[in-house]
Amino acid sequence: MEPVRNYLIVGGSSGIGLELTRRIADSGHRVVVASRTSNNLPKADNVSHIQLDVLCNEIPRDALPERLNGLAYCPGSITLRPFRQLKEEDFIADVSINLLGAVRTIQCTLTQLRKADKPASIVLFSTVAVQTGMKYHASIASAKGAVEGLTRSLAAEFAPHIRINCIAPSLTDTPLAERLLSSEEKRKASADRHPMKRVGAPEDIARVAWYLLSDDSQWTTGQIFHVDGGMSSLKQF
């Protein structure tokens, strides 16, 4: 029987993070969710919540289990605007939530991650727009490009004790993307841009995140996984 493991999901109360939280909890493991709200979380004995705004607070170490087997940092942003309209503050905001929030979280949890009986796993999130140039994505692609660089650098530094990988999705049907999918016309146009002819669902991304957090991926580190309906690598003429 597989031992019960401890996971921390930052931003685990909505979207991809919530789907990942459900999957881990349904597998019988313990999940600590750090997020601003807890309304949507499963009502289960193996799910607990820490009130947290990643832009303002650090995770209280005494609220974490002594040992962590995995960490997923899910908060993000979608800043789509022509470059000439972007201000320095827009770049700073995207870097703050996507990169610096992840940095602070990893620094806060290193001690617990190093105590795992097998190499612990960290999962971060990027975007298809880093590899595939897309107009109006200058700010968010810059921030997420930094996340990919952080992933590879820390994977080298932490091996063999901690693994770290990154998922780069395309547009996914989450509350964060609500404005981009607010009508049937927008939804169809977005779906048609993907070779798979649909936008992503939270479970598409959460399946891969759970694989990377689990022991099934013990020989995988330093990778960027493009879960994007073919957007980053396929052209259909």
Side-chain angles (χ1 to χ4, degrees):
M1 183 177 178
E2 185 180 13
V4 175
R5 301 189 180 279
N6 298 316
Y7 295 92
L8 170 64
I9 311 299
V10 180
S13 60
S14 69
I16 294 166
L18 177 58
E19 181 62 29
L20 178 57
T21 295
R22 288 171 175 157
R23 285 178 178 272
I24 298 173
D26 288 348
S27 298
H29 299 289
R30 288 186 287 263
V31 191
V32 179
V33 174
S35 63
R36 287 177 294 182
T37 63
S38 60
N39 298 339
N40 298 322
L41 292 179
K43 306 298 183 187
D45 292 339
N46 59 340
V47 178
S48 59
H49 181 254
I50 299 172
Q51 186 83 24
L52 180 78
D53 184 335
V54 295
L55 294 177
C56 305
N57 313 118
E58 287 189 356
I59 297 172
R61 289 180 173 86
D62 58 1
L64 296 175
E66 182 180 353
R67 175 183 300 166
L68 280 175
N69 299 94
L71 158 68
Y73 182 83
C74 304
S77 55
I78 301 180
T79 304
L80 305 184
R81 203 172 302 156
F83 182 75
R84 67 181 180 275
Q85 295 179 13
L86 289 169
K87 296 181 171 59
E88 183 176 336
E89 291 78 10
D90 296 313
F91 285 88
I92 292 171
D94 279 339
V95 167
S96 293
I97 190 168
N98 292 284
L99 176 67
L100 297 181
V103 168
R104 284 193 297 271
T105 299
I106 294 168
Q107 289 179 332
C108 281
T109 56
L110 264 182
T111 299
Q112 288 87 351
L113 290 165
R114 290 186 186 278
K115 290 180 179 179
D117 53 341
K118 294 182 179 180
S121 175
I122 299 171
V123 174
L124 303 180
F125 289 87
S126 180
T127 170
V128 65
V130 172
Q131 176 172 312
T132 304
M134 297 179 177
K135 63 182 182 180
Y136 309 142
H137 284 68
S139 180
I140 185 59
S142 297
K144 291 296 196 181
V147 172
E148 293 192 11
L150 179 70
T151 298
R152 293 189 175 100
S153 180
L154 292 186
E157 183 174 340
F158 293 167
H161 305 293
I162 299 172
R163 303 180 296 110
I164 177 167
N165 295 284
C166 184
I167 299 174
S170 186
L171 184 63
T172 307
D173 191 359
T174 67
L176 191 64
E178 187 174 16
R179 180 176 57 85
L180 302 176
L181 300 170
S182 59
S183 69
E184 285 305 314
E185 292 77 10
K186 287 182 178 181
R187 186 175 291 273
K188 184 178 187 306
S190 295
D192 287 345
R193 284 194 290 270
H194 294 79
M196 295 304 293
K197 301 305 176 188
R198 67 173 176 88
V199 298
E203 53 265 32
D204 293 320
I205 317 302
R207 287 189 196 102
V208 179
W210 178 217
Y211 164 74
L212 292 172
L213 286 175
S214 74
D215 289 345
D216 290 341
S217 60
Q218 278 288 310
W219 213 44
T220 304
T221 192
Q223 303 303 309
I224 312 298
F225 287 80
H226 294 276
V227 188
D228 57 21
M231 176 72 83
S232 63
S233 56
L234 305 179
K235 293 185 183 296
Q236 295 179 314
F237 298 98

